[in-house]
Amino acid sequence: MEAASVASSCCFSAFDPHNTHIGSSDLGFSRNLPIVLTWRRPSHRLLLSCRRRGSLATPVLEDEKKKEDEAVAESGSPSKEGLPKVDRTGRFSSPRAGRELALSVIYAACLEGSDPVRLLEKRMNMRRESGYEFDKASLLEYNHMSFGGPPVTAETAEEADGLSQIDEKETAIEAEVLSAPPKLVYSKLILRFARKLLLAVADRWDDDVLVIEKVAPQNWKNSPAGKIIELCILHLAMSEIAVLGTRHPIVINEAVDLAKRFCDGAAPRIINGCLRSFVKDFQGGHSAQTVESEKEVAVNA
């Protein structure tokens, strides 16, 4: 792909990175995936592994699924100590893990020109490599609440070496967890939650493009290729509020935490402001629709 086409593309307007028309509904399904797709910020990464197997299907009644999904979405972040929530099988069971998974798939879908739901299903259904073993102990060491910050200074070479070793260990743990087959890492409930998030994102994509055009700062819109992960976070949060109905304070807090974890600079503050503007307009639109519906009912009565 030529650099010019990347710069002129608007990765938050369609999943096809070659599509330069903002708001296009053409969600391309072409091109083969690489074995591992890695996105890196200092000390943090999102990986999309092609070791996939299994299915998202679970033997739960629809009403029960709905109640469980609502409980998952509303349950908030992992503990402030940074330890992830795991279920009795030792798999991630916190909604933060589901949102991280969904974000990594949306990001990969933007780069690959793929539909995010199909991309997740491909990852889920890929067979494990022969001889592959996953160390579940890494799940307990993985820190969902590890945020970026200003550069760290060290007084001595020994202190610098110690900090470097800590960083290398955290990076290795993240690589182990985020490249593992999803069924070994996430509970069935969280996998279903991530899939619902991706369905919502795909459904709302073009509508949210128009919103982002209104609320995003001009420099983000001028160079969207450099703000893909930030724009993906906005899409993820807006879709969860609009489609899944998760309470907006929870979603905004989660989006800001994701930005602290995977973005640089002022992104957390900007994303917070964008989402608050979105919520204000979204709630205003719903209030107007409710008034109109009440008027129609009164006239018909």
Side-chain angles (χ1 to χ4, degrees):
M1 187 191 305
E2 297 180 358
S5 67
V6 175
S8 64
S9 68
C10 209
C11 293
F12 60 96
S13 66
F15 293 113
D16 183 353
H18 296 285
N19 191 333
T20 59
H21 176 62
I22 296 177
S24 171
S25 60
D26 179 18
L27 308 185
F29 305 127
S30 61
R31 290 186 290 279
N32 294 323
L33 295 177
I35 295 301
V36 177
L37 174 67
T38 304
W39 173 79
R40 216 184 230 281
R41 295 281 189 188
S43 303
H44 299 297
R45 61 173 63 179
L46 287 173
L47 294 92
L48 183 62
S49 169
C50 285
R51 302 187 188 101
R52 313 179 183 103
R53 68 180 182 90
S55 168
L56 283 170
T58 52
V60 183
L61 296 176
E62 288 301 320
D63 288 344
E64 293 176 352
K65 283 183 180 180
K66 185 176 180 181
K67 291 178 181 177
E68 287 179 347
D69 292 337
E70 289 173 352
V72 167
E74 297 286 339
S75 60
S77 305
S79 63
K80 293 301 180 182
E81 290 76 14
L83 294 177
K85 293 180 181 177
V86 295
D87 63 10
R88 287 177 294 181
T89 67
R91 292 171 173 82
F92 285 153
S93 59
S94 76
R96 169 65 58 79
R99 292 182 179 103
E100 279 192 7
L101 174 60
L103 178 61
S104 70
V105 174
I106 297 166
Y107 177 80
C110 282
L111 297 184
E112 290 294 325
S114 306
D115 175 81
V117 180
R118 293 190 182 187
L119 196 54
L120 175 64
E121 290 172 349
K122 281 185 177 181
R123 183 176 176 186
M124 291 290 303
N125 294 326
M126 195 69 166
R127 293 180 180 177
R128 277 183 273 173
E129 295 176 356
S130 177
Y132 173 77
E133 292 185 6
F134 175 62
D135 181 11
K136 277 195 173 183
S138 60
L139 296 180
L140 296 175
E141 297 183 76
Y142 183 86
N143 188 357
H144 291 288
M145 303 295 287
S146 174
F147 300 141
V152 178
T153 58
E155 298 295 332
T156 64
E158 291 77 10
E159 185 181 355
D161 289 341
L163 291 172
S164 178
Q165 289 175 8
I166 292 173
D167 185 68
E168 289 175 1
K169 181 180 178 182
E170 289 180 353
T171 299
I173 290 170
E174 290 186 351
E176 173 77 11
V177 171
L178 295 175
S179 64
K183 276 199 166 185
L184 298 181
V185 176
Y186 307 95
S187 69
K188 291 181 179 179
L189 195 61
I190 293 305
L191 288 172
R192 191 166 70 241
F193 175 56
R195 189 175 189 276
K196 287 174 75 71
L197 288 171
L198 295 176
L199 285 168
V201 168
D203 182 59
R204 287 272 312 178
W205 192 266
D206 288 341
D207 291 335
D208 288 340
V209 164
L210 300 178
V211 176
I212 290 172
E213 277 290 301
K214 291 171 56 179
V215 302
Q218 191 61 45
N219 62 317
W220 285 22
K221 292 182 286 186
N222 289 343
S223 56
K227 297 295 180 182
I228 299 176
I229 195 71
E230 290 87 343
L231 297 168
C232 287
I233 291 173
L234 286 177
H235 272 288
L236 181 64
M238 291 175 179
S239 300
E240 184 173 357
I241 292 170
V243 180
L244 272 63
T246 308
R247 290 185 293 128
H248 71 266
I250 292 175
V251 177
I252 293 176
N253 182 66
E254 290 289 288
V256 169
D257 279 354
L258 287 173
K260 289 177 180 177
R261 181 155 166 71
F262 296 114
C263 305
D264 290 333
R269 177 178 55 80
I270 293 172
I271 284 174
N272 179 63
C274 290
L275 291 176
R276 290 190 182 281
S277 297
F278 163 74
V279 168
K280 184 178 180 181
D281 291 344
F282 182 74
Q283 290 179 333
H286 269 263
S287 298
Q289 289 179 3
T290 302
V291 171
E292 284 296 318
S293 299
E294 290 175 352
K295 287 182 180 179
E296 290 180 6
V297 170
V299 169
N300 294 332

